[in-house]
Amino acid sequence: MQKLNFPKFSFRFKNSENKISIFDDIRKKFVILQPEEWVRQHCVQYLMIEKKYPKSLINVEKELSINNLKKRYDIVVFNPNGSIHLIVECKAPNITINQDTFDQIARYNLSLQATFLMVTNGINHYYCQMDFENERYSFLKDIPNYN
């Protein structure tokens, strides 16, 4: 797999039926290693190890309903009170992050109401903080550490 713009993390791999799987600490199971999954797993490790978010507050690949359409988010980090702190949209490294990507995460956030948004393809990372009162977001250099 391609080297990503994240610190070096250690992962568990498994090979079965000529398919390589990576262990997902959040879902507690091996998942097929696709380029987007490689980015997702790096991002989860980044949130837990670098940003100190507790594993218990992180959720991966869950379905949500937006305007009666079924969608799946990549990563959500909850606040201890159950509200959503952060949504992360992961793309494969060969996918360019553009306005469509931000529109996608913004649509998800209409129902999720997260304070922070992160979009990454593993190479480029973008971070935003929501301003719900003025219906806009501002870009940040990074997301805050867990406190």
Side-chain angles (χ1 to χ4, degrees), residues 70-84:
K70 299 280 185 220
K71 301 289 183 183
R72 290 182 85 72
Y73 60 71
D74 286 306
I75 303 169
V76 163
V77 178
F78 291 92
N79 290 307
N81 69 4
S83 64
I84 297 179

Side-chain angles (χ1 to χ4, degrees), residues 63-72 108 111-112:
E63 196 172 84
L64 68 148
S65 186
I66 298 171
N67 298 330
N68 295 324
L69 296 172
K70 299 280 185 220
K71 301 289 183 183
R72 290 182 85 72
Y108 289 1
S111 62
L112 297 176

Side-chain angles (χ1 to χ4, degrees), residues 30-118:
F30 281 93
V31 291
I32 301 291
L33 183 56
Q34 302 281 354
E36 184 178 311
E37 192 63 47
W38 184 236
V39 173
R40 186 179 302 112
Q41 292 307 316
H42 274 80
C43 198
V44 166
Q45 294 302 310
Y46 174 75
L47 292 170
M48 291 190 309
I49 295 168
E50 300 292 318
K51 293 297 178 179
K52 309 293 186 221
Y53 286 95
K55 186 197 280 193
S56 61
L57 296 179
I58 300 173
N59 209 316
V60 173
E61 281 260 285
K62 286 283 196 281
E63 196 172 84
L64 68 148
S65 186
I66 298 171
N67 298 330
N68 295 324
L69 296 172
K70 299 280 185 220
K71 301 289 183 183
R72 290 182 85 72
Y73 60 71
D74 286 306
I75 303 169
V76 163
V77 178
F78 291 92
N79 290 307
N81 69 4
S83 64
I84 297 179
H85 179 71
L86 166 72
I87 306 173
V88 182
E89 179 60 32
C90 299
K91 297 293 182 191
N94 65 321
I95 303 293
T96 303
I97 294 172
N98 56 25
Q99 188 61 49
D100 290 343
T101 316
F102 283 99
D103 292 346
Q104 178 184 3
I105 198 168
R107 276 193 306 276
Y108 289 1
N109 205 34
L110 288 173
S111 62
L112 297 176
Q113 299 285 295
T115 308
F116 296 95
L117 307 178
M118 176 180 175

Side-chain angles (χ1 to χ4, degrees), residues 1-2 4 11-16 18-24 27 29-42 92-93:
M1 279 280 146
Q2 180 174 346
L4 302 178
F11 297 101
R12 288 173 38 205
F13 298 97
K14 178 174 88 173
N15 190 347
S16 67
N18 289 330
K19 289 196 171 129
I20 297 176
S21 296
I22 187 168
F23 189 77
D24 182 322
R27 291 178 275 186
K29 67 179 185 177
F30 281 93
V31 291
I32 301 291
L33 183 56
Q34 302 281 354
E36 184 178 311
E37 192 63 47
W38 184 236
V39 173
R40 186 179 302 112
Q41 292 307 316
H42 274 80

